[in-house]
Amino acid sequence: MINEKMAQDLAALGIKENDTVLVHASLSSLGFVEGGADTVIDTLISVLKDGTLLMPTLSFDSVTVSEPVFFVNDTPSCVGKISETFRKRAGVIRSMHPTHSVAAYGKNACEICRRHIESDTPVGDTSPFSLLPKYNGKVLMLGCTLSPNTSMHGVEELIKPDYLLCPEMTEYILIDKDGKEIKKKYWRHFFHAPGYSAEQRYQRLANLMDIPVGKVLCADAYLIDAQTMWEKGYEALKRDNHYFVEIFE
């Protein structure tokens, strides 16, 4: 089912039919949508008819140091109903990462997702998040402000500020779509450093670049150009490693 008003709103925001778009979304923020998450996904796919739709399918809540097993087919997403519904759709591809996987559908889905397993950090240079600028991609924040923008972790990983990564790697077990077991060590994010903790403030990106803002149904929506985000974010972190965090002693 396609919501025509939502499709019009997405087009007005600047999404084009051949775009590559990574979507962070809150279903409740949209107001009542007949058909729920499936209608939202159908509508996004219809607008991106010749493009690629991606969504984070993060699993850090269930794949932990004490339970370090990730099933690419079955481990649920912990970032909302739309993400979890999209993950389970026929034809959707999910990247291999224990805590920061991405699901994708469309023209470049396979190409964008296939090398995530090679990264030893959550948002490393072969992750879909980091590859987005190479596809002239965009990040759509749909009803969830600018704060939960996972791609910004990738910008931070270029600098590796003192709050970002745990001091030791963790070994995970990944089970691929055919049931094959793969063991691999990864660095984890932890947002602490000796003597203080940090909370992300990715909304400060709006101070560095122009970000189109509009309404999609009842939700506030932001459409971020990925290449500009990486360039401006990296420049800001080079000037100040703590630009995108609030420090608490």
Side-chain angles (χ1 to χ4, degrees):
M1 181 184 299
I2 295 171
N3 185 300
E4 295 296 345
K5 177 63 167 65
M6 182 181 176
Q8 292 167 11
D9 290 345
L10 290 167
L13 188 63
I15 295 178
K16 298 177 175 58
E17 63 181 27
N18 61 347
D19 277 344
T20 298
V21 182
L22 174 69
V23 179
H24 295 256
S26 164
L27 181 59
S28 61
S29 71
L30 293 164
F32 174 74
V33 179
E34 185 179 357
D38 279 308
T39 295
V40 174
I41 295 164
D42 287 342
T43 304
L44 285 163
I45 290 172
S46 74
V47 173
L48 293 167
K49 61 178 68 174
D50 295 317
T52 308
L53 173 62
L54 303 101
M55 292 189 192
T57 48
L58 311 187
S59 51
F60 53 80
D61 273 1
S62 58
V63 184
T64 62
V65 174
S66 59
E67 298 287 342
V69 184
F70 170 78
F71 296 83
V72 72
N73 290 337
D74 301 314
T75 297
S77 168
C78 65
V79 287
K81 178 69 173 177
I82 296 173
S83 167
E84 176 64 359
T85 302
F86 183 60
R87 175 188 76 79
K88 295 189 286 187
R89 278 216 168 190
V92 168
I93 293 164
R94 190 183 195 184
S95 70
M96 287 282 281
H97 189 279
T99 60
H100 284 66
S101 64
V102 173
Y105 179 87
K107 181 171 61 177
N108 295 314
C110 290
E111 189 175 335
I112 292 174
C113 289
R114 68 182 177 85
R115 295 184 61 207
H116 198 173
I117 194 170
E118 298 173 20
S119 295
D120 62 5
T121 57
V123 192
D125 60 0
T126 60
S127 72
F129 302 100
S130 295
L131 292 175
L132 201 59
K134 296 180 182 179
Y135 293 86
N136 298 312
K138 300 170 182 177
V139 179
L140 173 63
M141 310 301 292
L142 187 56
C144 51
T145 77
L146 293 172
S147 295
N149 184 356
T150 307
S151 297
M152 288 301 300
H153 289 322
V155 181
E156 290 171 312
E157 286 179 15
L158 296 175
I159 300 290
K160 293 184 172 60
D162 57 355
Y163 59 80
L164 185 64
L165 298 174
C166 291
E168 296 180 354
M169 300 182 86
T170 298
E171 184 173 78
Y172 292 91
I173 299 170
L174 295 83
I175 312 297
D176 72 11
K177 61 183 178 63
D178 299 317
K180 179 183 176 183
E181 181 179 300
I182 303 163
K183 290 185 178 180
K184 183 173 170 60
K185 289 186 177 181
Y186 291 90
W187 297 103
R188 293 182 296 118
H189 291 161
F190 77 138
F191 276 79
H192 287 79
Y196 69 83
S197 60
E199 290 185 3
Q200 61 194 44
R201 294 290 185 266
Y202 297 147
Q203 62 268 33
R204 293 175 182 169
L205 189 64
N207 299 328
L208 306 175
M209 61 182 288
D210 293 327
I211 300 175
V213 182
K215 281 285 188 184
V216 175
L217 300 181
C218 295
D220 292 325
Y222 304 83
L223 189 61
I224 308 166
D225 177 76
Q227 182 65 49
T228 306
M229 175 182 69
W230 280 77
E231 291 174 356
K232 297 296 184 182
Y234 179 66
E235 290 170 4
L237 283 170
K238 282 176 65 178
R239 294 191 299 268
D240 176 5
N241 282 188
H242 291 167
Y243 183 81
F244 290 108
V245 293
E246 190 77 26
I247 300 298
F248 299 94
E249 301 294 338

